[in-house]
């Protein structure tokens, strides 16, 4: 059974940093491209970043490029999202999931398994 458990969110002031983690079980983690997505209140879930199975390739949304860094540790079945220079518009629930390729920006559909997410709130 697939499980995605996101953690590391919180309340931070603008300009601050957070590191999110997503622990994965139920699949051979190292075989999959992984992505981070986020959903702000009243908005659709949107793409944030992806990382290839070995960490060699990454891809970012323009809104976070240069501020966020995605990484993974296949020995721990975990994908991370380091977020620096946070802005109020980064406020959202953040989710990880499996994606088809590094350049996939469409989130998996609502019928896919999603974890509970982790809330990030950035105050101005």
């Amino acid at each position: 059974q697939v499980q995605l458990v996101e953690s590391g969110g919180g309340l931070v002031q603008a300009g601050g940093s957070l590191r999110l983690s997503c622990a994965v079980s139920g699949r051979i983690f190292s075989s999959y491209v992984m992505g981070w997505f986020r959903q702000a209140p009243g908005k659709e879930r949107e793409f944030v970043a992806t990382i290839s199975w070995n960490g060699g390739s990454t891809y970012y949304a323009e809104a976070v490029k240069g501020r966020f860094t995605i990484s993974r540790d296949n020995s721990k079945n975990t994908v991370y999202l380091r977020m620096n220079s946070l802005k109020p518009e980064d406020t959202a629930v953040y989710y990880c999931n499996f994606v088809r390729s590094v350049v996939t920006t469409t989130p998996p559909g609502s019928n896919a398994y999603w974890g509970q997410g982790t809330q990030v709130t950035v105050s101005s």
Side-chain angles (χ1 to χ4, degrees):
Q1 181 179 355
V2 172
Q3 279 199 312
L4 303 165
V5 180
E6 299 92 347
S7 62
L11 173 64
V12 63
Q13 288 189 329
S17 299
L18 285 172
R19 190 180 82 153
L20 308 184
S21 300
C22 173
V24 179
S25 60
R27 285 193 183 176
I28 303 175
F29 176 74
S30 59
S31 298
Y32 289 88
V33 179
M34 296 297 299
W36 282 96
F37 302 88
R38 66 187 182 185
Q39 187 167 20
K43 294 190 176 181
E44 302 261 326
R45 193 170 287 165
E46 66 177 9
F47 164 72
V48 175
T50 54
I51 187 167
S52 61
W53 66 273
N54 64 354
S57 296
T58 56
Y59 189 59
Y60 296 92
E62 285 297 323
V64 308
K65 198 175 291 184
R67 300 188 297 122
F68 291 10
T69 302
I70 188 172
S71 61
R72 66 191 295 162
D73 185 339
N74 286 346
S75 70
K76 296 181 179 179
N77 286 4
T78 301
V79 61
Y80 304 98
L81 185 69
R82 176 68 180 181
M83 306 186 296
N84 295 329
S85 303
L86 282 161
K87 304 176 181 179
E89 52 263 45
D90 295 318
T91 295
V93 179
Y94 284 71
Y95 302 88
C96 69
N97 217 318
F98 305 97
V99 294
R100 186 178 298 275
S101 74
V102 172
V103 295
T104 297
T105 58
T106 304
S110 56
N111 60 345
Y113 174 82
W114 288 92
Q116 84 288 350
T118 187
Q119 175 72 50
V120 172
T121 303
V122 185
S123 63
S124 57

